[in-house]
Amino acid sequence: QNYLDNFWPDLKAAHELFDSILQARREREIESQENNGKEYPEHLPMEILEAGIKSGRYVQGTLNVNKHRAQLEAFVRLQGFSSKETG
């Protein structure tokens, strides 16, 4: 803020961008406080997930996302299974 005020006082677009970033940061901090420091709120309580995994209703695995096509490609590698296993 000081840099913009001192060196670029008339650069309106930069000041608007800075204000936008500051507002987004404040909103993220508020959301983080509301979610007890977690970046994203949990969809289901952990005890329900654990019971669902035990009963077989849910599966647990590792999410793998294609770094070049993150919006389009992802898969979950299930724990306890390897690509060589046949079923």
Side-chain angles (χ1 to χ4, degrees):
Q1 179 71 50
N2 290 339
Y3 175 80
L4 289 175
D5 290 341
N6 291 327
F7 295 102
W8 303 100
D10 298 327
L11 191 59
K12 185 178 179 185
H15 286 273
E16 289 174 357
L17 178 61
F18 179 81
D19 291 340
S20 175
I21 292 169
L22 194 59
Q23 180 63 28
R25 185 174 170 189
R26 287 182 188 139
E27 289 173 6
R28 189 171 183 173
E29 287 172 358
I30 290 168
E31 287 173 4
S32 179
Q33 290 171 355
E34 290 172 353
N35 296 323
N36 297 321
K38 297 175 185 167
E39 188 169 348
Y40 301 101
E42 295 177 7
H43 295 280
L44 293 172
M46 196 61 170
E47 53 272 2
I48 291 175
L49 290 174
E50 289 172 348
I53 291 169
K54 254 186 187 177
S55 72
R57 181 174 181 173
Y58 303 122
V59 294
Q60 184 174 1
T62 303
L63 177 64
N64 293 280
V65 179
N66 182 328
K67 69 180 177 179
H68 301 289
R69 297 174 47 117
Q71 299 287 337
L72 303 172
E73 288 184 19
F75 66 93
V76 175
R77 186 180 311 271
L78 299 179
Q79 290 184 354
F81 292 92
S82 72
S83 60
K84 294 180 183 178
E85 290 183 30
T86 58

